[in-house]
Amino acid sequence: MLTVGIDLAAEAARTAVAWLDWSGGRARLVRVVVGADDGVIVEAVMGASKAGIDCPLGWPDRFVDFVTAHRAGHVQVPEGLVGRTWRRDLALRVTDQVVHQQTGLTPLSVSADRIGHATMRCAALLAELARRGRPVDRRGRGAVVEVYPAACLKRWGLPYRGYKRAANLTELDRLVDRLLEAAPWLDLGEYEPLCRASDDATDAVVSALAARASARGLVTVPAAEQEGTAGTEGWIALPTTPLDRLVADA
């Protein structure tokens, strides 16, 4: 099995893609591209068994309805709700709220934060994949699954904060150490120095690990009443087992 992890940013400069080859009870990092353009991403997904994308796959349904109503001049605030209470469902998708309930972490708001720029790029990538005959099910079935590296790391008992940006290379180094200790079957090979120097590369590797968890059915999935919404908004797949289960009985 080949899984791909994509740490998607609005522009290529902060986008990383990682390829993990799974065989013989091990996972080997066979390629990492930092500064990945759309062509690299699409070809990576097309060639993978499963790809994990660290980016929202859609916007909150209620936000889309809100913008549509605003354009027509018919916005109505729900009776009895004020301030952030009624705006919560505009800012956060169902899956974002589920992730917060289960992990205590709150994903960035795709409708009220700068991550919306990355999601615009993601929407174009999903359209291109569909044109190439690999349509994406935003619930995580099929070729692509939405992932959240910080939540994965937290669930696996690894450092999940404070390792971003060049000023925090010591913490990034510590994260890579801890990851390799927890997953002795993971071989970063010649790309280990890059992972220690680039949090984008490391997040891409974690996303590829999460893609493996999804491919093996070791992640959260939408409940029956969440299926429809997840199909349009997207669904963040959270690992449900320890890291070692990714290679157990492989």
Side-chain angles (χ1 to χ4, degrees):
M1 177 183 289
L2 181 71
T3 64
V4 162
I6 302 163
D7 181 42
L8 190 69
E11 304 297 336
R14 290 306 309 270
T15 298
V17 181
W19 288 256
L20 282 179
D21 179 63
W22 301 81
S23 60
R26 295 188 63 81
R28 184 169 60 94
L29 185 59
V30 296
R31 187 184 180 195
V32 177
V33 173
V34 175
D37 62 20
D38 290 2
V40 168
I41 295 168
V42 170
E43 291 304 322
V45 175
M46 293 294 293
S49 305
K50 191 84 174 189
I53 298 184
D54 176 19
C55 181
L57 300 186
W59 281 263
D61 285 351
R62 293 191 180 182
F63 173 73
V64 174
D65 294 342
F66 172 79
V67 172
T68 301
H70 175 63
R71 180 174 182 174
H74 300 309
V75 167
Q76 293 184 340
V77 178
E79 188 176 346
L81 296 180
V82 294
R84 69 175 63 184
T85 302
W86 77 272
R87 295 196 304 267
R88 180 190 60 192
D89 291 341
L90 305 180
L92 298 176
R93 300 171 297 161
V94 168
T95 189
D96 299 328
Q97 296 180 50
V98 170
V99 166
H100 178 73
Q101 292 164 5
Q102 295 192 9
T103 70
L105 302 177
T106 303
L108 293 175
S109 166
V110 64
S111 53
D113 210 312
R114 291 177 63 185
I115 197 170
H117 290 276
T119 306
M120 293 174 195
R121 183 185 181 194
C122 187
L125 291 168
L126 299 187
E128 179 61 23
L129 288 168
R131 281 192 290 270
R132 295 200 185 193
R134 204 158 198 196
V136 171
D137 184 329
R138 298 181 208 174
R139 293 167 293 187
R141 301 163 187 164
V144 169
V145 63
E146 183 180 337
V147 299
Y148 182 16
C152 292
L153 292 170
K154 186 175 184 180
R155 286 216 155 183
W156 287 329
L158 297 170
Y160 61 94
R161 286 178 174 165
Y163 66 92
K164 301 283 191 177
R165 305 295 179 259
N168 297 309
L169 287 181
T170 300
E171 288 304 310
L172 177 59
D173 207 44
R174 175 172 169 263
L175 168 58
V176 174
D177 284 342
R178 290 284 305 277
L179 175 60
L180 293 175
E181 289 170 5
W185 39 263
L186 175 61
D187 179 11
L188 299 181
E190 65 184 281
Y191 298 104
E192 183 174 334
L194 178 57
C195 291
R196 293 182 182 277
S198 167
D199 58 87
D200 298 323
T202 297
D203 275 351
V205 171
V206 174
S207 296
L209 291 169
R212 168 72 169 187
S214 177
R216 302 201 70 196
L218 306 176
V219 295
T220 56
V221 296
E225 66 274 13
Q226 298 164 335
E227 280 275 330
T229 302
T232 52
E233 294 186 346
W235 181 264
I236 297 171
L238 298 174
T240 56
T241 65
L243 261 175
D244 284 347
R245 284 292 307 280
L246 302 189
V247 292
D249 302 319

